[in-house]
Amino acid sequence: MSRRFVVAGNFKMNLLAGEASALAAELRAALEAEPPACEVILAPVFTSIHAVREALQGSPIALAAQNVHFESSGAFTGEVGAGFLADAGCTHVIVGHSERRQLFGERDADVREKAKAALDAGLTPIVCVGETLSEREAGQAEAIVLGQVASSLEGVDPQRVILAYEPVWAIGTGRTASPEDAQEMHAAIRSSLLASIRDKVRILYGGSVKPDNAEALLGQPDVDGALVGGASLKTESFLPIIRAAKH
Ligand code: PGA
């Protein structure tokens, strides 16, 4: 079963609009010169979405937001609903990133509502799951992650989302899951999905993906791409990761 690879750059709270659009333009030029074998998605800060959209106009590079509110509109000061993201040119949105879960108290129920809101607005949610270091050390990694997958996707068709496994202890730390550990978890996640659809669902790995480990991670049979934070902020580190995603 061939699943098209996806490489997504999560800029987090980095890069002003001019910087983000300059990076997008640089990536665009490089990918136009040599088209990638994978789908490429950029997720800038909300306020940079417009500028990045302009830089990407007419290119196959897709645009994502990093968060979404689950209500579509109304008295929710400071929030952004999925329809607004679609209106701004986004086709994808990251939901349930571990920083949202850990720093902003998002629970699986919130993630689920956000994923549903995204789908209702025609966006593809990139649904993140992952265990903490203490959960891994306690031998609970798989139970925690499979629980997050089941609960975050309750009532959601997994074929309509992109999943991202991001062990919390690997995010921004320079520590990466070994390709074998990543594969083991990706295979477990896939097996937890309905047999009739599991081969169609793309599961990205995230957590300190860098040019020097991308090929080994992306070479695992159940790793279908990467969600990249720090290394997505510069063309010289992001491009080799995109190039390592070969189908
Ligand atoms: P990192 O972040 O690549 O900087 O570890 C990944 C992520 O949080 O999506």
Side-chain angles (χ1 to χ4, degrees):
M1 172 81 218
S2 89
R3 295 175 291 270
R4 188 140 198 256
F5 271 138
V6 178
V7 174
N10 172 12
F11 296 174
K12 307 194 179 182
M13 202 168 75
N14 295 295
L15 304 183
L16 296 173
E19 297 166 324
S21 56
L23 174 60
E26 238 175 73
L27 285 166
R28 175 190 187 154
L31 297 179
E32 275 172 0
E34 191 188 330
C38 60
E39 285 172 34
V40 178
I41 304 171
L42 301 182
V45 174
F46 284 132
T47 49
S48 301
I49 287 175
H50 184 72
V52 172
R53 180 195 198 176
E54 304 249 289
L56 295 180
Q57 203 82 55
S59 110
I61 302 175
L63 192 53
Q66 300 173 16
N67 186 25
V68 63
H69 189 57
F70 45 80
E71 293 287 354
S72 55
S73 64
F76 302 101
T77 302
E79 296 293 334
V80 182
F84 294 87
L85 299 177
D87 182 47
C90 293
T91 50
H92 296 72
V93 59
I94 299 170
V95 296
H97 189 278
S98 71
E99 284 149 18
R100 303 281 336 154
R101 291 177 185 263
Q102 301 224 302
L103 304 174
F104 303 99
E106 282 187 18
R107 299 154 302 139
D108 291 337
D110 303 308
V111 178
R112 175 163 74 231
E113 292 314 307
K114 290 178 177 210
K116 286 182 180 167
L119 287 168
D120 286 346
L123 301 176
T124 300
I126 301 171
V127 179
C128 303
V129 294
E131 83 284 0
T132 62
L133 185 57
S134 58
E135 289 163 346
R136 174 154 287 257
E137 284 172 344
Q140 295 168 343
E142 192 174 304
I144 294 287
V145 169
L146 297 190
Q148 288 175 345
V149 170
S151 173
S152 304
L153 293 186
E154 210 180 293
V156 174
D157 178 356
Q159 294 176 95
R160 298 181 67 200
V161 314
I162 296 173
L163 281 170
Y165 167 58
E166 299 203 302
V168 175
W169 47 271
I171 294 178
T173 58
R175 279 184 73 180
T176 325
S178 68
E180 296 72 28
D181 283 347
Q183 167 56 26
E184 197 180 327
M185 189 64 84
H186 281 234
I189 294 171
R190 196 175 304 289
S191 309
S192 76
L193 303 174
L194 263 182
S196 56
I197 58 157
R198 64 170 67 122
D199 284 339
K200 299 186 186 124
V201 179
R202 289 177 297 181
I203 308 172
L204 316 186
Y205 171 79
S208 297
V209 178
K210 307 286 177 210
D212 60 359
N213 59 28
E215 206 165 299
L217 287 160
L218 292 166
Q220 301 301 313
D222 287 295
V223 176
D224 306 314
L227 180 52
V228 185
S232 73
L233 299 176
K234 290 202 164 85
T235 304
E236 59 265 34
S237 44
F238 196 35
L239 203 51
I241 299 173
I242 294 171
R243 297 290 182 219
K246 295 210 187 73
H247 62 76

